[in-house]
């Protein structure tokens, strides 16, 4: 447990900041939100509420994946 002065220091925020950065990285890397939520111990609702920006930044990547899938289906 942290002392009162340790809890008030900026370093007390580091574990949360590192966790937030990790979850954001997973989302922006294209890991499915359901898998990210499972790994982070969140519900999907919590994930979308707190990580909406990271999910939105991944939208272009998702659009590219969908485009490639549609092109492949047309070739078949």
């Amino acid at each position: 447990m942290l002392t009162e002065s340790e809890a008030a220091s900026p370093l007390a925020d580091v574990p949360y900041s590192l966790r937030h950065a990790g979850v954001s990285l997973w989302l922006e890397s294209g890991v499915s939100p359901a898998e990210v939520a499972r790994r982070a111990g969140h519900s999907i609702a919590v994930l979308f509420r707190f990580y909406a920006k990271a999910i939105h930044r991944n939208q272009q990547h998702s659009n590219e994946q969908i485009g490639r899938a549609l092109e492949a289906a047309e070739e078949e």
Side-chain angles (χ1 to χ4, degrees), residues 19 22-23 26-27 31-48 51 55:
R19 184 175 193 278
V23 171
W26 297 341
L27 289 166
V31 178
S32 77
E35 179 61 16
V36 173
R38 185 191 68 76
R39 289 178 183 223
H42 290 314
S43 68
I44 295 286
V46 167
L47 187 80
F48 278 93
Y51 296 93
I55 292 167

Side-chain angles (χ1 to χ4, degrees), residues 1-58:
M1 178 167 266
L2 299 176
T3 66
E4 195 172 312
S5 63
E6 290 170 334
S9 77
L11 291 177
D13 289 336
V14 171
Y16 174 79
S17 296
L18 293 173
R19 184 175 193 278
H20 183 80
V23 171
S24 296
L25 175 71
W26 297 341
L27 289 166
E28 291 178 9
S29 297
V31 178
S32 77
E35 179 61 16
V36 173
R38 185 191 68 76
R39 289 178 183 223
H42 290 314
S43 68
I44 295 286
V46 167
L47 187 80
F48 278 93
R49 186 177 327 129
F50 291 102
Y51 296 93
K53 289 181 183 177
I55 292 167
H56 181 70
R57 284 191 296 260
N58 194 33

